[in-house]
């Protein structure tokens, strides 16, 4: 494969900037005006892609944390060069705002790549925490292929209430509980004001922490940096160490793809499957692989994840939050539990290999939280990809979040052509036990933007319907989802997928163990209905979403739209 990087370090860094060269002299002059000394600019210049923002708790901490990274860079003989990128919060962007969230992943990646290429940074530090920012930055790092290190902000402090310990998904589920008067307004107000207790990433194994831990497992982020509390002294010290280490990597010429290989991506995927990660991991891991030129589609994703047992699960699929995970032994403990399934020769950017790290691992492990492979929660991963006439290209469910009695379900379809229609029906208490909710035209093109059904899924739990009602969509779900929630239906309704042919009352059978989903309608009738189907008129794509709808790929390649196949 052709190296796509125009200005990356291809060997040990040589420090070849020449202020006498007209182009370099112009660069030096402009950097002088920013306060950099001329002698500084003969050192490795480390770009810091900082996703700090005031309006996202997972990223607010980076305002302080970046200063420790800079101190480490200066101390090691490098020069820090900070710039910023968008950092949307999925939780705040529910409803109409969710159309823009998945598309921003590729925008974040492209903006970092463009900035780093324009300024010719020698190495990169990526500060990221939340759902689309971690994968977006991983895609950028893969495209740039420079010496790189990642650091996440750390997890949110859980809310200790008289009734118990609560974290973010409990707030979502309380919306459904309030809707059926299972809790009073005073309790709901207290939950709303306190459950999201501090800055840091929401203390659940949603997409944010799934992808943060994934970055650790593939070797590009310090192990345990995601699950530790955002406010710990350890986090600040670690930020300094990251700053020092990136200078060493840059001088040695160790690039992103020297660390992140096909074997390390498989390690990361197996670890995600072993720990009950978010279904969104499928989109992001496939997209990162695509940028790296590594073949990985939905079917191969399923094959790889089935190879490893699921040995842990966390909020919302269990009572344990991220700080519980950290105290129980952390990522090192879960990696060690599945050691036999990992390629131990994969390198760690912080030094050594997975094997050498696990040889030295000595933290105590809580077996109630982190099981062994001999005593797994599930023998074959945490996901299941289902196929059938409703989803010929497949669809995805996190089986570790489904109660056993819903592994097989048959019920009548109740159809909605948008998430908004579903929410209205739920608020009006129109959902009956036993049905299969079909939410369509919410795929990558149809939405547009492949909205997540996060709040409806949580309301279903809060209303006590997750043990009798299934949800099926060509959209997606949050990592904060539990229950029989099946997403990523392919092809999507906008592309003429069979999900567009479902009518109210059609019987649908779901069998998770058999990896099967079936619409009990003949092929001839499905074909006839699809010929008559029309796109709904209330799914406009304006502004950049118009380009997104035109350019976005499908689930198999992770819904990328700005990153296609690399040039050969």
């Amino acid at each position: 494969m052709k190296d796509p990087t125009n200005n990356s370090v291809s060997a040990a860094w040589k420090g070849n900037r020449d202020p006498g060269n007209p182009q370099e002299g112009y660069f030096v002059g402009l950097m002088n005006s920013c306060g950099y000394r001329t002698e500084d600019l003969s050192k490795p210049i480390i770009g810091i892609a900082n996703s700090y923002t005031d309006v996202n708790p997972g990223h607010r901490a980076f305002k302080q944390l970046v200063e420790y990274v800079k101190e480490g860079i200066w101390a090691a003989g490098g020069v820090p060069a900070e710039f910023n990128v968008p950092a949307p919060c999925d939780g705040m962007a529910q409803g109409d705002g969710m159309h823009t969230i998945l598309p921003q992943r590729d925008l974040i990646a492209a903006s970092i790549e463009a900035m780093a290429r324009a300024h010719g940074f020698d190495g990169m530090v990526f500060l990221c925490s939340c759902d689309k920012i971690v994968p977006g930055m991983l895609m950028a790092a893969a495209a740039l292929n420079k010496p790189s290190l990642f650091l996440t902000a750390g997890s949110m402090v859980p809310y200790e209430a008289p009734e118990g310990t609560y974290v973010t998904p409990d707030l979502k589920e309380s919306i459904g509980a309030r809707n059926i008067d299972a809790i009073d307004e005073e309790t709901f107000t207290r939950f709303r004001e306190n459950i999201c207790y501090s800055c840091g990433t929401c203390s659940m194994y949603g997409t944010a922490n799934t992808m943060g831990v994934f970055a650790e497992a593939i070797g590009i982020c310090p192990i345990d940096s995601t699950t530790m509390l955002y406010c710990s002294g350890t986090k600040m010290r670690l930020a300094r160490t990251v700053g020092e280490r990136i200078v060493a990597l840059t001088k040695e010429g160790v690039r992103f793809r020297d660390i992140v290989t096909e074997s390390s991506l498989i390690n990361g995927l197996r670890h995600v499957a072993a720990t009950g990660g978010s279904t969104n991991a499928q989109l992001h891991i496939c997209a990162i692989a695509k940028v790296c030129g590594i073949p990985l589609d939905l079917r191969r994703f399923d094959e790889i994840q089935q190879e490893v047992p699921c040995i842990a699960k966390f909020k919302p699929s269990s009572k344990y939050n991220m700080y519980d995970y950290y105290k129980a032994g952390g990522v090192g403990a879960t990696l060690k539990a599945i050691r036999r399934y990992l390629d131990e020769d994969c390198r760690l950017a912080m030094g050594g290999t997975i094997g050498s790290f696990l040889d030295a691992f000595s933290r105590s492990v809580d077996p109630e939280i982190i099981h062994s492979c001999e005593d797994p929660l599930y023998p074959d991963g945490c996901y299941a990809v289902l196929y059938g006439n409703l989803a010929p290209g497949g669809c995805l469910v996190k089986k570790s979040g489904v109660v056993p009695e819903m592994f097989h379900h048959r019920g009548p379809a109740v159809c909605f052509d948008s998430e908004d229609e579903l929410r209205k029906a739920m608020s009006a208490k129109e959902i009956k036990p036993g049905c299969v909710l079909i939410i369509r035209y919410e795929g990558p093109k149809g939405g547009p933007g492949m909205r997540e059904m996060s709040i409806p899924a949580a309301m279903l739990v809060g209303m006590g319907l997750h043990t009798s009602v299934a949800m099926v969509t060509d959209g997606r779900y949050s990592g904060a989802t539990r229950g029989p929630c099946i997403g990523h239906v392919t092809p999507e309704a906008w592309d003429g997928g069979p999900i567009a042919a479902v009518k109210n009352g059609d019987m649908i059978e779901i069998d998770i163990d058999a990896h099967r989903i079936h619409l009990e309608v003949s092929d001839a009738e499905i074909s006839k209905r699809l010929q008559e189907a029309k796109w709904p008129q209330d799914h406009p794509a304006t502004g950049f979403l118009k380009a997104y709808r035109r350019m976005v790929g499908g689930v198999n390649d992770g819904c990328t739209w700005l990153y296609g196949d690399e040039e050969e």
Side-chain angles (χ1 to χ4, degrees):
M1 174 181 295
K2 179 182 177 182
D3 187 339
T5 308
N6 293 326
N7 54 4
S8 65
V9 179
S10 57
W13 184 83
K14 297 180 177 63
N16 56 357
R17 288 189 180 85
D18 176 13
N21 176 291
Q23 180 176 325
E24 294 287 352
Y26 194 42
F27 169 84
V28 170
L30 289 168
M31 290 291 277
N32 287 160
S33 73
C34 295
Y36 294 93
R37 301 170 303 174
T38 300
E39 56 266 35
D40 292 332
L41 302 176
S42 63
K43 303 171 184 177
I45 298 178
I46 309 299
I48 304 174
N50 188 359
S51 52
Y52 158 73
T53 171
D54 277 337
V55 292
N56 183 336
H59 293 255
R60 202 171 192 277
F62 286 131
K63 185 174 186 178
Q64 178 188 32
L65 207 59
V66 70
E67 299 304 324
Y68 294 100
V69 175
K70 290 179 180 179
E71 288 175 7
I73 292 171
W74 283 118
V79 177
E82 178 188 359
F83 63 97
N84 295 89
V85 296
C89 174
D90 284 43
M92 295 184 191
Q94 295 297 315
D96 190 56
M98 185 55 67
H99 290 293
T100 70
I101 292 295
L102 182 59
Q104 283 193 71
R105 180 198 64 187
D106 290 36
L107 285 176
I108 291 165
S111 67
I112 293 170
E113 182 190 353
M115 181 67 175
R117 289 190 189 281
H119 281 245
F121 300 131
D122 300 307
M124 295 291 298
V125 172
F126 298 85
L127 301 182
C128 49
S129 283
C130 287
D131 294 29
K132 306 306 171 293
I133 301 92
V134 179
M137 288 193 175
L138 285 167
M139 291 166 69
L144 288 166
N145 198 25
K146 293 176 178 288
S148 299
L149 267 177
F150 279 63
L151 185 66
T152 55
S155 64
M156 184 181 287
V157 177
Y159 171 47
E160 302 289 348
E163 307 95 327
T165 301
Y166 296 97
V167 293
T168 307
D170 300 307
L171 176 58
K172 292 182 181 180
E173 292 180 8
S174 72
I175 297 171
R178 181 70 191 103
N179 193 49
I180 61 171
D181 296 320
I183 59 174
D184 59 27
E185 186 63 30
E186 181 180 357
T187 300
F188 179 60
T189 298
R190 177 165 57 86
F191 283 173
R192 189 178 64 241
E193 292 177 350
N194 291 284
I195 283 180
C196 298
Y197 195 72
S198 73
C199 288
T201 311
C202 297
S203 192
M204 59 185 179
Y205 210 41
T207 308
N209 286 314
T210 296
M211 295 310 297
V213 168
F214 173 79
E216 297 177 25
I218 64 175
I220 206 69
C221 182
I223 290 174
D224 279 337
S225 60
T226 300
T227 56
M228 69 175 61
L229 293 179
Y230 90 99
C231 52
S232 67
T234 305
K235 173 63 69 174
M236 300 172 199
R237 296 191 298 272
L238 185 60
R240 274 202 187 95
T241 303
V242 164
E244 290 180 347
R245 181 62 182 160
I246 188 58
V247 176
L249 290 172
T250 301
K251 289 179 177 179
E252 294 164 13
V254 178
R255 302 190 290 178
F256 179 84
R257 294 195 202 175
D258 295 325
I259 304 296
V260 180
T261 63
E262 183 169 8
S263 292
S264 67
L265 284 179
I266 290 173
N267 279 352
L269 171 49
R270 285 177 175 159
H271 185 263
V272 164
T275 50
S278 164
T279 51
N280 285 312
Q282 181 268 313
L283 298 176
H284 303 321
I285 295 173
C286 288
I288 295 161
K290 187 177 183 66
V291 179
C292 290
I294 296 168
L296 181 62
D297 60 10
L298 181 61
R299 188 176 293 276
R300 188 173 182 225
F301 176 94
D302 190 34
E303 291 169 351
I304 293 169
Q305 72 91 26
Q306 286 186 69
E307 294 170 352
V308 62
C310 180
I311 48 88
K313 59 181 182 177
F314 304 98
K315 280 281 189 176
S317 298
S318 79
K319 63 182 180 181
Y320 303 115
N321 58 53
M322 286 297 98
Y323 193 45
D324 292 327
Y325 185 6
Y326 180 74
K327 292 184 291 183
V331 173
T334 46
L335 284 169
K336 192 157 189 174
I338 63 165
R339 183 172 189 169
R340 71 187 71 166
Y341 298 96
L342 302 176
D343 182 342
E344 296 187 30
D345 292 330
C346 289
R347 297 172 64 179
L348 301 178
M350 295 300 288
T353 64
I354 285 284
S356 63
F357 171 84
L358 294 177
D359 285 341
F361 181 79
S362 60
R363 288 182 62 187
S364 60
V365 179
D366 185 342
E368 290 296 316
I369 298 177
I370 298 172
H371 291 230
S372 67
C373 288
E374 290 71 36
D375 178 35
L377 298 170
Y378 304 91
D380 52 358
C382 71
Y383 306 111
V385 175
L386 315 182
Y387 295 93
N389 64 348
L390 185 59
C395 55
L396 185 64
V397 62
K398 184 163 88 170
K399 65 186 178 187
S400 60
V402 181
V403 294
E405 57 265 35
M406 289 299 288
F407 269 48
H408 184 270
H409 179 70
R410 181 176 179 270
V414 181
C415 300
F416 303 92
D417 284 348
S418 69
E419 177 193 0
D420 310 277
E421 288 184 8
L422 171 64
R423 283 206 204 189
K424 289 176 184 177
M426 296 184 86
S427 296
K429 305 176 186 177
E430 295 174 358
I431 309 302
K432 306 300 181 187
C435 67
V436 176
L437 304 176
I438 298 292
I439 312 99
R440 59 197 174 194
Y441 297 104
E442 288 289 6
K445 295 178 183 176
M450 203 178 188
R451 288 196 291 181
E452 66 176 30
M453 309 293 119
S454 173
I455 288 181
M459 288 179 68
L460 203 70
V461 175
M463 296 167 72
L465 293 172
H466 64 295
T467 59
S468 62
V469 173
M471 296 176 69
V472 179
T473 181
D474 53 7
R476 58 191 179 86
Y477 294 100
S478 165
T481 296
R482 63 186 174 112
C485 298
I486 300 166
H488 304 199
V489 170
T490 308
E492 62 173 294
W494 197 267
D495 277 342
I499 192 172
V502 184
K503 291 186 176 181
N504 289 331
D506 288 345
M507 296 303 293
I508 295 173
E509 182 181 19
I510 298 162
D511 190 333
I512 293 175
D513 284 327
H515 291 247
R516 182 172 179 267
I517 185 166
H518 182 68
L519 171 64
E520 296 180 6
V521 172
S522 70
D523 291 346
E525 178 62 18
I526 291 173
S527 180
K528 177 185 174 185
R529 291 181 186 181
L530 288 176
Q531 290 174 7
E532 299 168 352
K534 291 182 173 59
W535 289 338
Q537 298 303 304
D538 58 347
H539 287 242
T542 58
F544 88 101
L545 289 176
K546 184 176 181 180
Y548 177 81
R549 175 175 278 170
R550 184 176 68 251
M551 298 163 62
V552 68
V555 166
N556 267 333
D557 66 4
C559 299
T560 57
W561 67 292
L562 292 178
Y563 284 88
D565 294 320
E566 296 287 0
E567 266 185 47
E568 294 297 328

